[in-house]
Amino acid sequence: MKAFTLWQKRMQGPRGVEVEVSRASCESLDILLENLLPLTSVERRRMLFVSTRGSWCAYFDNGWRGTDAYSTISYLAEMIGCRGGRMLYVPHSLDSQEGTQPGRYGAVALEIFSAQKTDFVNTERSIAVAFDGKKWAFSEAGAKQCFEQVDQYANRSVRSRFTEAMLEEYLMALGIDAFKEDFYDPENAFLAEKKGPMAPATKEFSLSEVQASW
């Protein structure tokens, strides 16, 4: 938390925003995540760092479209000198390719960040399948990991090249049981909050408002 707090205070101070960090403790993860409400667009205002039963620390923010961990985790991995990761799983819930009905474009992604610079910032490995509004697209870059099912990447069905099940297996190989609630330790968490001016055009949303848009 010290590294994150120092970084954010340096970034937010010039715009008159203070970053307050407090200990958060709840009996369950779902109640703990309520500390992130209301959700916001444009600028993330609340961030949670949650201990796990393993050697990893989980990160969540209050973005209305879900947590955007890329900049935070990649930066901290390099700053602290450790490994970081970002996972994404969005079920494909649109009835039409054009997105004219409520729902979300599906995506499955995994990024691993290194403590050292790589060909692309400090991204060690990235794998993703996502629906771009017209078709499914697959991408992979960086150093392949020993646990990967590389034969799957040649599947004729693009959507099946990297699935939710594969993501879960890859995470387990890294020691991350991300889809099990008891992997997280909600009684050992920290909440960081920005206090002060919001970025222009930032809007706040209740959880029910966001869910209704899906």
Side-chain angles (χ1 to χ4, degrees), residues 49 55-60 67-78 82-88 109-115 122-126 147 167 170-171 174 176 178:
F49 291 82
S55 59
W56 295 85
C57 178
Y59 170 81
F60 304 91
T67 295
D68 182 4
Y70 176 80
S71 60
T72 298
I73 302 305
S74 63
Y75 180 83
L76 290 178
E78 189 174 354
C82 66
R83 218 177 189 197
R86 170 181 174 265
M87 60 153 285
L88 174 68
L110 173 65
E111 292 175 310
I112 301 172
F113 306 109
S114 170
N122 65 326
T123 302
E124 179 181 336
R125 182 62 169 154
S126 66
F147 51 76
L167 172 63
Y170 288 13
L171 290 169
L174 291 166
I176 304 171

Side-chain angles (χ1 to χ4, degrees), residues 154-173:
N155 283 354
R156 184 172 183 178
S157 168
V158 176
R159 187 175 184 176
S160 68
R161 292 178 187 178
F162 190 42
T163 64
E164 177 195 359
M166 292 170 65
L167 172 63
E168 186 171 7
E169 288 184 27
Y170 288 13
L171 290 169
M172 288 294 291

